[in-house]
Amino acid sequence: MERPLEVARESGLIAEGAPLLVLLSGGGDSVALLDVALRLGASVSALHVNYGLREGADEDEAFVRDLCAARDVELAVERVQLSEEAGNLQERARDARYALAERLATDDYAAAHTASDQAETVLYRLAVSPGSRALHGMEPRRGRLVRPLLRATRDELRQYLRGRGLDWREDPSN
């Protein structure tokens, strides 16, 4: 049950007392990341981006607001309207979220990518552009972006959340 905490500790990407902006959607992965970062003693703040793209987006925002208030975590909420241009909507959302994090973070900012996400990324890249570059996947650190849970699976994070008695929101589009 404690594997996500151990994985994050071993990553060295969350330092006690250091500022860390957690990208917090309200989903299980990001709620686990928030809890782990707090337990490891980081000076945690959070960013929630509400794109308003699906039913339940406002409820996700309310959940995150309540979660951060209960944990005494400073929260920035940004409402972003994505352009309707052709292309990958998920990529545009990610780019907007990272741009906001770059602007708001005083130091590193953390995404809750897991080993499960890593596998999906590698498979996607292999399908789109086969070659050795596709096998590299996501790095634990890219500039100020850190991924301290990259060696834990989504299932391990759900076990962790249940063991800690933590609630989360499910995104049916994810």
Side-chain angles (χ1 to χ4, degrees):
M1 180 193 96
E2 291 289 302
R3 179 151 166 75
L5 181 67
E6 295 309 313
V7 163
R9 181 179 286 124
E10 291 168 6
S11 77
L13 297 171
I14 299 176
E16 186 174 348
L20 182 67
L21 178 69
V22 172
L23 303 180
L24 185 61
S25 68
D29 298 349
S30 68
V31 170
L33 175 60
L34 179 73
D35 188 68
V36 163
L38 289 168
R39 288 181 70 193
L40 292 176
S43 178
V44 177
S45 60
L47 168 63
H48 176 78
V49 181
N50 184 343
Y51 304 100
L53 291 173
R54 63 177 184 75
E55 194 174 320
D58 290 338
E59 288 84 2
D60 292 348
E61 180 182 322
F63 172 81
V64 166
R65 286 184 185 279
D66 290 345
L67 176 65
C68 288
R71 301 253 175 149
D72 199 27
V73 170
E74 180 182 336
L75 172 66
V77 174
E78 297 284 337
R79 290 180 170 248
V80 172
Q81 187 163 8
L82 298 172
S83 65
E84 295 187 22
E85 66 191 57
N88 187 315
L89 181 64
Q90 293 292 334
E91 284 181 16
R92 290 198 314 274
R94 181 195 62 223
D95 291 347
R97 183 171 56 252
Y98 289 171
L100 285 166
E102 282 289 339
R103 183 170 55 85
L104 296 173
T106 58
D107 199 352
D108 288 342
Y109 58 96
H113 293 123
T114 67
S116 306
D117 297 314
Q118 183 76 292
E120 291 169 9
T121 297
V122 169
L123 289 173
Y124 172 78
R125 287 181 181 171
L126 282 170
V128 172
S129 177
S132 62
R133 183 193 169 284
L135 296 175
H136 292 280
M138 295 179 278
E139 295 293 326
R141 174 182 286 281
R142 190 185 80 209
R144 296 192 311 149
L145 168 63
V146 296
R147 299 177 176 105
L149 299 176
L150 207 49
R151 290 185 34 243
T153 67
R154 189 166 292 126
D155 287 343
E156 289 170 331
L157 266 62
R158 295 308 180 272
Q159 290 173 19
Y160 175 84
L161 291 164
R162 284 190 287 277
R164 300 268 302 146
L166 298 171
D167 292 326
W168 68 91
R169 300 274 301 166
E170 288 291 347
D171 177 357
S173 66
N174 190 0

